């Protein structure tokens, strides 16, 4: 049985010279991995960059839990992201958080559509997006059903709780203009990750946060 499905790439695992396993998020399957053959190198591999949105033909395998994804094509070019070192680093961070927090086979109502909108919004932004990943983390908490308040974040944020509260209460555009140093921005992201760790009982050792901090410092 084959069906055309739109997938968001979260992570990639090479399994051979011409094959990979893509770890994805989709409306139909939630968080699920797929085997892709005939990948090769070069331009084909760029299809599987973090947070790319692809259309693939999914073939389910009755003998295995790992279905196959074939004929991948970009559903959206994301040129605003791919032409920016800063936005690329941000999508690396966003995809790693989702990869670590969403377990294989799990789904959350509405998370795919929210994630897709977030990607396209970041792609379209021309400036003032340095705080985007902070807002992304807090919105993710809401999508996962936690709906944090300033008081909820206080045990994790300490003196940064009022600042985190601004991201919860101010409109998106205004929250992008909150002035933050690179250090404070990184500490705020770490705070929200600790909140998410506690509520999801996950270990979120997000390596890309250090890279993002260095780029946005």
């Amino acid at each position: 049985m084959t069906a055309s499905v739109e997938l968001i790439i979260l992570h990639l695992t090479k399994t051979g010279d011409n094959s990979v396993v893509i770890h994805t998020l989709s409306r139909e399957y939630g968080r699920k991995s797929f085997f892709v053959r005939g990948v090769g190198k070069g331009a084909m591999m760029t299809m599987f960059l973090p947070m790319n949105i692809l259309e693939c033909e999914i073939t389910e395998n009755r003998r295995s839990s790992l279905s196959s994804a074939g004929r991948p094509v970009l559903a959206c070019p994301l040129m605003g992201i791919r032409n920016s070192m800063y936005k690329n680093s941000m999508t690396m961070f966003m995809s790693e958080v989702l990869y670590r927090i969403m377990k294989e086979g799990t789904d959350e109502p509405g998370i795919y559509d929210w994630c897709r909108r977030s990607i396209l919004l970041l792609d379209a932004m021309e400036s003032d997006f340095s705080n985007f990943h902070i807002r992304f983390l807090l919105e993710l908490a809401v999508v996962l059903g936690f709906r944090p308040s300033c008081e909820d974040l206080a045990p994790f944020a300490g003196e940064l709780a009022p600042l985190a509260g601004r991201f919860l209460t101010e409109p998106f555009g205004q929250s992008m203009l909150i002035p933050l140093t690179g250090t404070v921005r990184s500490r705020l992201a770490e705070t929200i990750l600790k909140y998410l760790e506690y509520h999801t009982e996950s270990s979120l050792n997000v390596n890309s946060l250090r890279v993002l901090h260095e780029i946005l410092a």
Side-chain angles (χ1 to χ4, degrees), residues 30-166:
R31 164 81 154 76
K32 187 173 175 62
S33 301
F34 298 95
F35 185 71
V36 185
R37 297 179 178 84
V39 173
K41 299 178 181 179
M44 182 68 172
M45 288 297 290
T46 64
M47 281 232 190
F48 308 115
L49 290 171
M51 302 305 262
N52 265 0
I53 304 171
L54 305 183
E55 287 183 6
C56 295
E57 291 185 4
I58 304 300
T59 303
E60 296 188 12
N61 187 344
R62 294 182 180 178
R63 299 181 180 180
S64 170
S65 60
L66 190 62
S67 302
S68 297
R71 300 181 182 274
V73 295
L74 286 172
C76 308
L78 301 183
M79 297 304 294
I81 291 174
R82 299 310 166 205
N83 290 330
S84 167
M85 174 179 66
Y86 304 101
K87 289 184 179 181
N88 266 310
S89 299
M90 212 163 270
T91 56
M92 285 178 58
F93 172 77
M94 292 158 60
S95 65
E96 186 177 0
V97 170
L98 288 168
Y99 173 70
R100 295 188 183 282
I101 211 167
M102 296 284 292
K103 307 303 181 186
E104 180 77 11
T106 62
D107 196 5
E108 292 288 343
I111 195 167
Y112 178 82
D113 292 313
W114 164 78
C115 189
R116 192 183 194 278
R117 287 194 302 270
S118 297
I119 296 167
L120 295 180
L121 177 57
L122 177 61
D123 184 65
M125 293 179 73
E126 296 182 356
S127 61
D128 300 321
F129 51 79
S130 295
N131 293 343
F132 187 89
H133 61 299
I134 304 296
R135 182 80 178 213
F136 176 86
L137 290 176
L138 289 169
E139 288 188 5
L140 173 60
V142 173
V143 173
L144 293 175
F146 305 128
R147 297 194 175 275
S149 66
C150 187
E151 291 75 19
D152 295 330
L153 292 172
F156 307 90
E159 75 278 7
L160 294 180
L163 189 57
R166 290 185 63 185

Side-chain angles (χ1 to χ4, degrees), residues 89-90 92-94 96-97 100 133-134 137 182-194 204-217:
S89 299
M90 212 163 270
M92 285 178 58
F93 172 77
M94 292 158 60
E96 186 177 0
V97 170
R100 295 188 183 282
H133 61 299
I134 304 296
L137 290 176
T183 299
V184 170
R185 190 179 289 116
S186 184
R187 286 179 57 202
L188 198 53
E190 289 173 354
T191 285
I192 305 166
L193 286 173
K194 288 177 183 176
L204 301 180
N205 183 21
V206 182
N207 299 316
S208 55
L209 179 58
R210 178 180 55 80
V211 177
L212 187 59
H213 169 60
E214 291 174 357
I215 289 175
L216 295 178

